[in-house]
Amino acid sequence: MIDRRTLCGAAMGIAAMSALSACGGQEGGSQGGAETVPASWLKCRVGKLSEVDPLLVQDRAGLQVLSAVFTPLMRFDANGELVPGAALSCAVSDDACTFTFKLPAHAVFHNGERVTASSFKIAWERLVRAIPSGESASDAEPLFGRWGSLLHLVDGYAALRAGRASEMVGLRCPDDATFVVTLTQPCPYFDHVTAHPALGPVPAAALADPEAFALKPVGNGPFALKYPWERGRGVMLASFADCAIGAPLTAGVLLDPMADTVAAYKQFRAGNIDITDVPVDQLSDAEDIATPAPDGRSMAVDARLAHGVEGGLLYLSLNCVSGVFSRPEMRRAACLSVDREALCRKVLKFSGEPALGPISPRVAEIQPWDACTYDPEGSLQLVEAAKLAALQNDPVEGEGSAEEGTETDAPLPDPLDLDLIYRKGGTGARVVAHVVRDLEAAGFSVKTEALDTDDFVKRYRSAEFDCALRTLEPPVPALEAIADELLTYDRSSAGISVYRDERLDHVLAEARRTIDVATRRALIQDALSMAGESLPLIPLAHPAYTKIASDRVAASAVDAFGKIDLFASELV
């Protein structure tokens, strides 16, 4: 069984082991980048690593490992396009509820076992079931892996997760080469979901000996773990020539889990690491020694510096039902008041790019929201006009709507009091300080509260706030998936909990039923335009990366979520 210590104690183990990472010299141990590996291997810094098993991985470093060790049914290439992975093809039913994947006859795992449709069924159900904790049910709540929720639309998901069933009825294997997935509602982009690296197949060994599998997962990807992983040490990956998508371009990869970006960059400059993130205080140095990649993601000998946006979003979710933001003109005033350029330059230190709408340009080119233009004078004018109109009992009309009957014509308070909640930790406090300064310059009075995650989620679900700082890290780089997550009305920790527009709901529902890609994306564009007028949220920034490759690297690329495409990486 995988106990709670395995699932939750990795961070403590990493902290203890990282202090030793600069010592010792045995092969396979992290030495701050000075790893003993063949010269033909690529050395890549991935950051703090806590797990390498799809069931247990929680962070980006772990996903980097999974993307190398496992090949899911579909995958995203270096350009962000959806292409076949372990599947040869995918057929979608007319109602967008059934997906049929055909698998090659001779695909194998790293241990030589054949990859079949059952291998995917085993893997997916493993992610959805509660993790055996070794404790009685009365001692603790059940634990679940992070990525099982990707399958929430699969028929039988809820029953398996609740322990009422032993399998998901929506997963069928008519034969070894056919995997059929049935959903409970239309989702024409579900093939994009299957490209997530945690949804790769697993062999029977994952169930027979889960503890051994957690340290040396056996996959079907372009790289295989050479040794069982030791916490706090690097992951050594040898190339796997029999991968269904072909052999990788490099003989092997060392993934170094150095948590300190500055220390990793020093090791890069010393020639001990081939690819790493660039710390903020070394941006000028990196620009002096490497030419930027024209597309921001494809590194080569003559363009070794990659800087670009990812698919996520930092934003303010607004309470459009009660309080100041029940008025559309106040939402627009707040959006216009934020100086996104200064936020990204002074606070995020170029780890973010200004968001001119909710969809990152790395995911799709969408018409910018005009309210995301920094216009402090326009913002102040809207606020003053609204106050004057309220005093004259002549409310300013705004575009967009909240839930029926919730728009208010009551006089505006003076000052315009707001509650802004955010999660403790990270850069949240500094981001909030910047946003508060801009809001107050427009005439708002803001009270901020830093909350633990549980308290934050509780307040958000109960709509006890005026605005909330949130971060979207989409697991699926698809326009439809991101729009769905941001704009769908949902009394939960995801989606919009305090705004509802029946027109918007109708367009999103129609998009979910539409198979034709061009038509579906046109509907999503319409939904985004509607949201840009009504402003249920205020986009702030898209996360950004800056990575540099050594002159040993002939080619590499960064995907939409900041991971290195190890399959496409090559040494000179």
Side-chain angles (χ1 to χ4, degrees):
M1 289 188 293
I2 300 173
D3 61 18
R4 290 172 185 272
R5 197 172 308 164
T6 303
L7 179 65
C8 304
M12 295 177 64
I14 285 285
M17 292 299 295
S18 62
L20 304 177
S21 64
C23 305
Q26 66 268 37
E27 184 173 329
S30 176
Q31 304 171 49
E35 201 63 74
T36 305
V37 295
S40 58
W41 282 39
L42 176 75
K43 290 182 282 189
C44 179
R45 181 258 178 181
V46 294
K48 186 177 181 179
L49 182 63
S50 57
E51 296 291 349
V52 296
D53 181 344
L55 179 62
L56 307 176
V57 162
Q58 299 279 331
D59 50 37
R60 179 174 300 189
L63 288 178
Q64 181 74 76
V65 176
L66 298 188
S67 66
V69 177
F70 296 90
T71 297
L73 292 165
M74 306 294 286
R75 68 185 184 93
F76 296 101
D77 64 16
N79 296 318
E81 298 295 328
L82 187 71
V83 297
L88 296 172
S89 63
C90 174
V92 186
S93 63
D94 291 342
D95 63 0
C97 286
T98 301
F99 291 73
T100 302
F101 299 91
K102 287 295 184 179
L103 308 180
H106 304 294
V108 295
F109 286 105
H110 301 148
N111 62 3
E113 180 182 327
R114 184 182 170 190
V115 176
T116 66
S118 294
S119 306
F120 284 94
K121 187 175 188 294
I122 291 171
W124 289 16
E125 290 176 345
R126 179 175 181 260
L127 292 178
V128 174
R129 289 190 186 94
I131 299 171
S133 66
E135 302 174 16
S136 66
S138 60
D139 290 332
E141 292 295 322
L143 292 172
F144 296 93
R146 177 175 180 180
W147 307 111
S149 59
L150 290 168
L151 305 172
H152 72 281
L153 292 180
V154 176
D155 193 8
Y157 167 87
L160 180 61
R161 187 175 176 88
R164 299 192 307 270
S166 60
E167 62 179 349
M168 285 196 286
V169 296
L171 302 180
R172 295 186 292 113
C173 307
D175 55 62
D176 286 348
T178 308
F179 185 49
V180 182
V181 183
T182 302
L183 309 180
T184 56
Q185 65 185 57
C187 184
Y189 60 84
F190 184 76
D191 52 350
H192 289 69
V193 176
T194 69
H196 193 279
L199 297 183
V202 300
L207 302 182
D209 192 347
E211 292 183 344
F213 189 85
L215 296 179
K216 192 182 181 185
V218 176
N220 64 328
F223 294 93
L225 269 76
K226 189 172 182 180
Y227 305 109
W229 175 59
E230 297 180 45
R231 299 191 186 284
R233 296 180 179 271
V235 178
M236 300 186 72
L237 302 170
S239 64
F240 181 60
D242 294 328
C243 179
I245 60 174
L249 300 176
T250 185
V253 175
L254 169 71
L255 298 180
D256 195 303
M258 294 185 68
D260 191 328
T261 307
V262 174
Y265 188 76
K266 289 180 179 178
Q267 289 294 330
F268 169 82
R269 291 292 270 144
N272 296 323
I273 293 179
D274 294 311
I275 301 177
T276 189
D277 296 279
V278 179
V280 172
D281 60 355
Q282 295 296 327
L283 287 175
S284 296
D285 180 77
E287 291 170 346
D288 288 341
I289 63 174
T291 301
D295 63 2
R297 66 177 185 271
S298 303
M299 293 180 284
V301 173
D302 58 350
R304 298 187 288 112
L305 185 63
H307 176 80
V309 295
E310 301 176 14
L313 179 69
L314 178 68
Y315 66 104
L316 293 178
S317 183
L318 305 181
N319 185 339
C320 305
V321 173
S322 62
V324 172
F325 289 137
S326 63
R327 293 172 173 266
E329 71 273 15
M330 292 296 93
R331 303 197 289 267
R332 184 175 182 85
C335 195
L336 289 170
S337 74
V338 179
D339 187 345
R340 293 164 178 80
E341 291 281 353
L343 172 66
C344 293
R345 185 178 68 254
K346 297 178 180 179
V347 179
L348 300 179
K349 305 293 185 181
F350 302 102
S351 64
E353 293 288 338
L356 302 182
I359 305 298
S360 166
R362 188 66 185 272
V363 174
E365 291 296 333
I366 299 297
Q367 185 68 28
W369 288 1
D370 61 354
C372 290
T373 302
Y374 179 46
D375 184 3
E377 292 185 4
S379 174
L380 189 58
Q381 289 172 3
L382 276 172
V383 171
E384 294 301 326
K387 288 181 178 179
L388 180 61
L391 289 173
Q392 297 173 346
N393 199 25
D394 182 21
V396 174
E397 294 184 359
E399 298 183 23
S401 62
E403 293 188 80
E404 186 176 354
T406 59
E407 291 283 353
T408 178
D409 293 342
L412 284 168
D414 189 10
L416 301 176
D417 293 323
L418 298 176
D419 287 326
L420 194 165
I421 62 173
Y422 64 100
R423 285 184 172 92
K424 292 178 180 178
T427 60
R430 287 185 286 136
V431 170
V432 164
H434 177 93
V435 171
V436 167
R437 185 203 65 191
D438 289 346
L439 288 172
E440 292 187 338
F444 296 95
S445 177
V446 187
K447 174 187 175 183
T448 65
E449 292 183 80
L451 304 173
D452 293 328
T453 296
D454 289 346
D455 291 335
F456 179 91
V457 172
K458 181 179 179 180
R459 287 278 295 277
Y460 189 83
R461 288 178 174 176
S462 61
E464 296 176 15
F465 67 94
D466 291 304
C467 51
L469 181 68
R470 305 195 66 204
T471 301
L472 171 69
E473 296 182 3
V476 182
L479 170 64
E480 299 91 335
I482 295 172
D484 244 357
E485 184 159 357
L486 283 174
L487 302 181
T488 298
Y489 174 79
D490 184 8
R491 292 288 185 187
S492 72
S493 60
I496 299 173
S497 71
V498 280
Y499 172 88
R500 188 160 196 180
D501 185 329
E502 291 185 359
R503 299 174 305 151
L504 180 61
D505 290 345
H506 175 76
V507 173
L508 290 172
E510 185 65 25
R512 295 186 200 105
R513 295 189 293 266
T514 303
I515 301 295
D516 181 72
V517 175
T519 304
R520 184 170 71 244
R521 293 192 172 177
L523 288 167
I524 296 296
Q525 292 266 13
D526 290 343
L528 288 167
S529 295
M530 294 168 63
E533 294 295 329
S534 54
L535 294 173
L537 58 91
I538 297 178
L540 298 176
H542 299 296
Y545 58 80
T546 304
K547 295 182 183 291
I548 191 169
S550 73
D551 55 13
R552 288 192 346 119
V553 177
S556 189
V558 185
D559 69 18
F561 301 106
K563 300 195 313 301
I564 297 295
D565 187 343
L566 296 174
F567 178 72
S569 297
E570 184 177 13
L571 295 176
V572 294

